[in-house]
């Protein structure tokens, strides 16, 4: 999902060196009754007011009641283009660091829907997910709040709870908790890329429960649903499925399973390169 470089608000441990002082967010604002947009910086916001300054330092900020704001357009902050380039290029570690810095720098505007700080945090967690760094994801997840995101992102916020749960699956009770989360996700109305994530989490739960056949079915659903949207997630699902096939074939000499595994391996090699060493036969 490639995000826009301009976002409009209607009236209705992987961080780089982070400043202790939040940065004002570059933006344009239009006040009701005025015909000209003011260019400047949002210094902070709450449920009632937006504080806007003409200075990049945030000096002499004026408090505008939200009811008087006709339109607020954020401009992409420094580092956003580089973070996007890293994410889209599969350099998830680099992108996660860049997004984390943006999220921290613009934390004072998180009360405004779809601000770049909240969107950066969302993308940071997605990068940590694709890295398989669930411990760091679980640590950062509470920093992502729905208040800074429009409704279309709210399911993703909930899905990150499930991804964070993968950081600790050492007991049957923790696996059961993951299954309950997956069950809740199935009750939500999700777009394909979100549904693919729910299937991946279900696959992990089934694998932990000792049901490799059901887990493989779920992993296949992931890259069927999401291949064109998030190659990182599709790659994860394919790799996990290939490892499962390899482990299963050491015990069960099932020709159909073997043919499925060879077919998936051929696709993986064509798209991503060499198969994981654990899946080689």
């Amino acid at each position: 999902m490639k995000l826009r470089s301009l976002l409009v608000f209607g009236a209705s441990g992987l961080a780089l060196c982070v400043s202790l002082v939040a940065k004002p967010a570059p933006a344009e604002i239009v006040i009701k009754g005025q015909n000209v947009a003011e260019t400047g910086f949002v210094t902070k916001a709450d449920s009632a007011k937006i504080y806007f300054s003409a200075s990049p330092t945030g000096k002499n900020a004026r408090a505008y009641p939200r009811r008087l704001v006709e339109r607020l357009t954020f401009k992409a902050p420094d580092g956003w283009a580089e973070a996007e380039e890293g994410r889209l290029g599969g350099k998830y570690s680099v992108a996660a660091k860049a997004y984390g810095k943006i999220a921290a720098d613009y934390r004072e505007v998180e009360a405004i829907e779809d601000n770049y700080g909240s969107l950066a945090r969302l993308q940071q967690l997605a990068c940590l997910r694709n890295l398989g760094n669930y411990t760091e994801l679980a640590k950062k997840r509470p920093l992502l709040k729905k208040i800074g995101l429009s409704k279309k992102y709210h399911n993703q916020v909930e899905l990150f709870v499930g991804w964070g749960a993968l950081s600790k699956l050492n007991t049957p009770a923790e696996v059961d908790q993951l299954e309950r989360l997956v069950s809740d996700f199935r009750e939500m109305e999700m777009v394909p890329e979100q549904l693919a994530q729910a299937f991946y989490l279900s696959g992990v739960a089934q694998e932990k429960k000792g049901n490799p056949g059901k887990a493989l079915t779920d992993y296949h659903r992931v890259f069927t649903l999401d291949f064109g949207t998030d190659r990182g997630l599709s790659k994860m699902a394919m790799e996990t499925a290939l490892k499962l096939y390899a482990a299963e074939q050491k015990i069960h000499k099932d020709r159909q399973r073997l043919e499925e595994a060879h077919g998936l391996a051929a696709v993986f090699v064509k798209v991503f390169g060499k198969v994981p060493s654990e899946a080689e036969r």
Side-chain angles (χ1 to χ4, degrees), residues 221-243:
R221 287 168 172 164
V222 174
F223 47 79
T224 300
L225 281 165
D226 201 46
F227 189 80
T229 304
D230 192 326
R231 286 166 61 91
L233 181 60
S234 296
K235 184 180 181 183
M236 285 169 53
M238 285 186 173
E239 286 178 334
T240 307
L242 287 169
K243 292 174 187 177

Side-chain angles (χ1 to χ4, degrees), residues 13-15 124-125 128 133-141:
L14 277 176
Q124 181 193 33
L125 295 185
L128 292 173
N133 192 343
Y134 306 126
T135 299
E136 189 67 19
L137 188 155
K139 187 186 303 182
K140 298 292 186 186
R141 185 197 59 75

Side-chain angles (χ1 to χ4, degrees), residues 87-101:
R87 176 178 66 86
L88 296 173
K91 298 178 181 178
Y92 299 118
S93 182
V94 172
K97 291 178 182 179
Y99 284 127
K101 184 177 187 303

Side-chain angles (χ1 to χ4, degrees), residues 242 264-266 268-269 273-280:
L242 287 169
L264 180 59
F268 188 92
V269 169
K274 195 171 184 292
V275 299
S277 58
E278 302 94 320
E280 291 180 339

Side-chain angles (χ1 to χ4, degrees), residues 17-23 104-105 107-108:
C17 181
V18 176
S19 172
L20 294 177
V21 179
K23 290 184 178 180
D105 283 347
R107 60 190 179 275
E108 289 295 335

Side-chain angles (χ1 to χ4, degrees), residues 20-280:
L20 294 177
V21 179
K23 290 184 178 180
E28 287 185 351
I29 194 169
V30 176
I31 304 302
K32 288 181 179 179
Q34 297 181 0
N35 295 322
V36 180
E38 294 182 56
T39 299
F41 302 83
V42 179
T43 60
K44 63 179 181 178
D46 54 36
S47 60
K49 296 178 181 179
I50 293 173
Y51 296 80
F52 195 83
S53 170
S55 170
T57 65
K59 186 178 180 181
N60 299 324
R62 291 160 289 173
Y64 289 118
R66 280 185 177 244
R67 58 184 173 78
L68 296 182
V69 177
E70 184 74 34
R71 187 177 74 253
L72 179 63
T73 305
F74 284 110
K75 298 181 180 179
D78 291 341
W80 182 264
E82 292 76 11
E84 287 282 270
E85 182 179 0
R87 176 178 66 86
L88 296 173
K91 298 178 181 178
Y92 299 118
S93 182
V94 172
K97 291 178 182 179
Y99 284 127
K101 184 177 187 303
I102 294 169
D105 283 347
Y106 299 101
R107 60 190 179 275
E108 289 295 335
V109 298
E110 67 177 11
I112 301 176
E113 190 175 272
D114 291 353
N115 67 88
Y116 273 100
S118 294
L119 291 172
R121 185 69 70 192
L122 187 85
Q123 293 297 354
Q124 181 193 33
L125 295 185
C127 288
L128 292 173
R129 176 198 68 203
N130 288 354
L131 286 168
N133 192 343
Y134 306 126
T135 299
E136 189 67 19
L137 188 155
K139 187 186 303 182
K140 298 292 186 186
R141 185 197 59 75
L143 299 175
L144 180 65
K145 301 177 177 65
K146 288 182 179 179
I147 190 175
L149 297 166
S150 55
K151 191 174 180 180
K152 65 182 178 181
Y153 295 114
H154 288 187
N155 281 348
Q156 186 59 64
V157 176
E158 296 297 333
L159 282 164
F160 280 135
V161 177
W163 287 105
L166 300 192
S167 66
K168 196 174 180 182
L169 290 176
N170 302 317
T171 67
E174 289 166 345
V175 176
D176 288 343
Q177 173 60 19
L178 177 60
E179 274 199 310
R180 285 192 290 271
L181 287 170
V182 170
S183 179
D184 291 341
F185 296 152
R186 287 173 176 163
E187 299 300 316
M188 298 179 184
E189 187 175 338
M190 292 185 170
V191 296
E193 65 186 87
Q194 295 169 344
L195 190 59
Q197 294 176 62
F199 279 125
Y200 188 95
L201 296 172
S202 177
V204 173
Q206 292 298 332
E207 195 176 344
K208 290 288 184 180
K209 288 277 189 178
N211 301 319
K214 291 182 179 180
L216 282 168
T217 298
D218 283 333
Y219 292 138
H220 273 273
R221 287 168 172 164
V222 174
F223 47 79
T224 300
L225 281 165
D226 201 46
F227 189 80
T229 304
D230 192 326
R231 286 166 61 91
L233 181 60
S234 296
K235 184 180 181 183
M236 285 169 53
M238 285 186 173
E239 286 178 334
T240 307
L242 287 169
K243 292 174 187 177
L244 263 182
Y245 277 126
E248 191 180 34
Q249 287 305 313
K250 290 174 183 176
I251 303 172
H252 306 291
K253 301 300 181 181
D254 184 317
R255 184 174 182 81
Q256 181 181 346
R257 283 282 197 234
L258 194 59
E259 289 176 351
E260 288 176 3
H262 286 168
L264 180 59
V267 173
F268 188 92
V269 169
K270 185 175 182 179
V271 178
F272 298 112
K274 195 171 184 292
V275 299
S277 58
E278 302 94 320
E280 291 180 339

